[in-house]
Amino acid sequence: MSELKHWRVEHDDGIHWWRIDVADAGANVLRREVLEELEQLVEAARTEPPCGIVITSAKDSGFIAGADVHEFTTIADEGQALELIRRGQGVMDRIEALPCPVLALINGFCLGGGLELALACDYRIALDDPKTRIGLPEVRLGIHPGFGGTVRAIETIGVLPAMNLMLAGSTVDARKAKRLGLVDDRVPERQLEAAARYWLKKRPPRRRPAWHQRLLNLAPLRPLVARLLGRAVARKAPRRHYPAPWALIELWQQHGGDRRAMFAHEAKSVARLICGETARNLVRVFLLQDRLKSLGRQQTFRPTHVHIVGGGVMGGDIAAWAAVNGYRTSVQDTRPEALAATMGRAAKLCRRRFRSWPHLGTAALDRLYPDLEGSGRAHAGLVIEAIVENRTAKQSLFRELEGQVPEGCLLATNTSSIPLEEIAEGLQHPERLVGLHFFNPVAKMPLVEIVRGQATSDEAMAHAAAWSKAIGKLPLPVRSSPGFLVNRILMPYLLEAILMVEEGIPAVVIDRCATRFGMPMGPLDLADTVGLDICLHVGRNLAEHLPSDPPLTVPRHLQRLVEQGHLGKKSGQGFYRWPSGRIQRPKAPPGHWDRDRITDRMVLRLLNEAAACLAEGVVEDADLLDAGMIFGTGFAPFRGGPMHYARKLGHDEVQRRLNALAEAIDVRFRPHPWWSGDTKTP
Ligand code: NAI
């Protein structure tokens, strides 16, 4: 056997331990070279079988994160993809056929190809810890499992649990994995290796699903079950945008009863999907996410104490999130009732996040304390301001803070619209002020804009990005300018939708156009959810401060609704009615609507604003802009981001359509000069 770069092998008491440790990588991924080495190990074990084999990871970060997504981008065509997939399938088949028992010892995440490898083993034991996440999330990359996972997942846990796991692309913790039968046991860290030895010695029969799950695999029942699965998928992943879940259902429906055929068609199906537009764009999104994460890795910054000033909607939730993610956090507000509400919401969050580990939830809550007097300021390494959106209030707060916090403390503001330069006025050290612009709701939204004011130092930017990454958020550096990046680009799209309502197009028709395009929710539904008063405030602020020509106008209809007290979901009435907080969507009235034009009006205004942001250098490049819009607003991920979509359409075509709309409707559609000028495409 040639020398191994990615596996460490130990022999001990007749058991072979294969510890994966992919070179030059923080997490183990199944690159071609890693699989080739695994092939060698399997071949050696086949010719000279040990008493048992344990496949585990030498990295603390986890077991195996899946296939190497970077390799996907090097696949030129279906033929090449098929070769790669068949090779992976071959290794898994040979592991399954080994004459000795093989056990996967899962010490952390075990995803995609990692789980497919584990499923090819006879037994699986997982570390009982919240960091263990197990799943087959391939649909998120526009494909489905390809290394035999579709077959073995069904054989191991049964049709419905396996299909649901693969179709949703979700991950489960060790406890749920044990309940589902994905793993045979879950044990604490100190018992992992002893448990592996015990199972290899005891050699119980391999796990099989319950009889009724095996029944569902029979040919007469498959079409029925497939229809039910399709119905659930249709709600989340329309076939024209996301073909992978549908391909998986079809694969199972046609070949579920025939193991060999299922393997063969699994490979073909993944090869086809991986070369398709959706998978290429979703892989792009994955890599963009990686890029944002890497921006947070350039420095380490672990403040021992975080202090939040302002315990309202945002400050309270940021404080709770910081505590959940391991930071000792104090939260200050002038109103005790705001702090009481914050603690109540934090308790709820902890219960939800640590459902299976209540002691961890209690520990997180212990890290958070309400601080009416602001005693936390004196020993904070990071202070985040989230008080009311008022320039003078923020200025005087930061001046006060400067004299109270330790030297080197990072000062951050969660302002959504006030330029950092204005907030920094009068500060002795404006270089340590940075924007940390979170999105609402904090626990759900993955993006944080890291806002650079004119005086902000590189170190402050790097520290803010590092901290955002440390609390599990994606940092996006942007320049301080009206609305920063995400809200600024979203606003013209929202306002255009409202203008169309003013023209008499039903809200439900407009929203349908947006969701058909691939947005997670329609703009009017979104406006109602955010609150029409907030939309009006942001719109007015942008209209006042944006250097755009022609200027942004705020529709009168929006002002009227707010004057009438129709604020959307929170008041029970906005563009829709919201009885008991749930949207009541009327049926679209009869009539002919030019849906392509409606979609274009919204999307092209969004694209035009994005072009303006690139021209003004609000964000470094088009890829980062795409990342911001995908993770900040959910912009149709299968389209790869707005600028990627514009590139696909062609910048000439974008201009042509904008010009046509400008001529037919209004100058607000006039194409930004960026489209025809310096289009620094990456
Ligand atoms: P909010 O009105 O819910 O909370 C503000 C809190 O600050 C209140 O509880 C108030 O009592 C407290 N406060 C005011 N002055 C104070 C002082 N000097 N010291 C201590 N506490 C003080 O406001 P919200 O929505 O949480 O917004 C806070 C900041 O976050 C604003 O700058 C806003 O623009 C920004 N933001 C808001 C988002 C949203 O969706 N609500 C999204 C992103 C940013």
Side-chain angles (χ1 to χ4, degrees), residues 191 220 228 283 385 412 437 447 524:
Q191 288 168 6
L228 289 176
V283 165
E385 167 277 312
H437 183 224
L447 193 79
L524 301 161

Side-chain angles (χ1 to χ4, degrees), residues 456-485:
T456 309
S457 69
D458 290 346
E459 188 183 50
M461 287 295 288
H463 281 178
W467 188 72
S468 306
K469 161 84 179 53
I471 58 164
K473 298 289 176 194
L474 299 170
L476 175 71
V478 297
R479 196 168 60 77
S480 170
S481 62
F484 310 133
L485 183 81

Side-chain angles (χ1 to χ4, degrees), residues 310 312-314 333-335 386-387 389 394 414 416 437-438 440:
V313 175
M314 294 303 287
D333 203 290
T334 45
R335 295 181 305 125
I387 65 169
E389 190 73 343
K394 290 194 196 266
N414 185 46
S416 47
H437 183 224
F438 285 82
N440 190 8

Side-chain angles (χ1 to χ4, degrees), residues 423-446:
I423 298 178
E425 261 170 37
L427 289 188
Q428 282 172 8
H429 293 288
E431 70 279 3
R432 63 167 157 168
L433 179 72
V434 66
L436 269 175
H437 183 224
F438 285 82
F439 292 81
N440 190 8
V442 174
K444 280 213 180 116
M445 300 298 288

Side-chain angles (χ1 to χ4, degrees), residues 308-318 332-339 342 345 372 377 385-390 393-394 396-397 400 413-418 436-442 487 530 534 537:
I308 315 282
V309 191
V313 175
M314 294 303 287
D317 286 1
I318 296 169
Q332 181 185 1
D333 203 290
T334 45
R335 295 181 305 125
E337 62 274 23
L339 294 179
T342 289
R345 290 204 309 278
L372 259 182
R377 297 175 176 193
E385 167 277 312
I387 65 169
V388 280
E389 190 73 343
N390 176 299
K394 290 194 196 266
S396 64
L397 173 66
E400 195 183 294
T413 170
N414 185 46
T415 180
S416 47
S417 62
I418 306 170
L436 269 175
H437 183 224
F438 285 82
F439 292 81
N440 190 8
V442 174
N487 286 346
V530 170
I534 293 183
H537 176 78

Side-chain angles (χ1 to χ4, degrees), residues 499-518:
L499 283 170
M500 287 193 274
V501 176
E502 219 170 54
E503 289 169 22
I505 305 176
V508 68
V509 171
I510 299 167
D511 275 354
R512 271 303 292 278
C513 290
T515 50
R516 276 178 64 88
F517 177 80

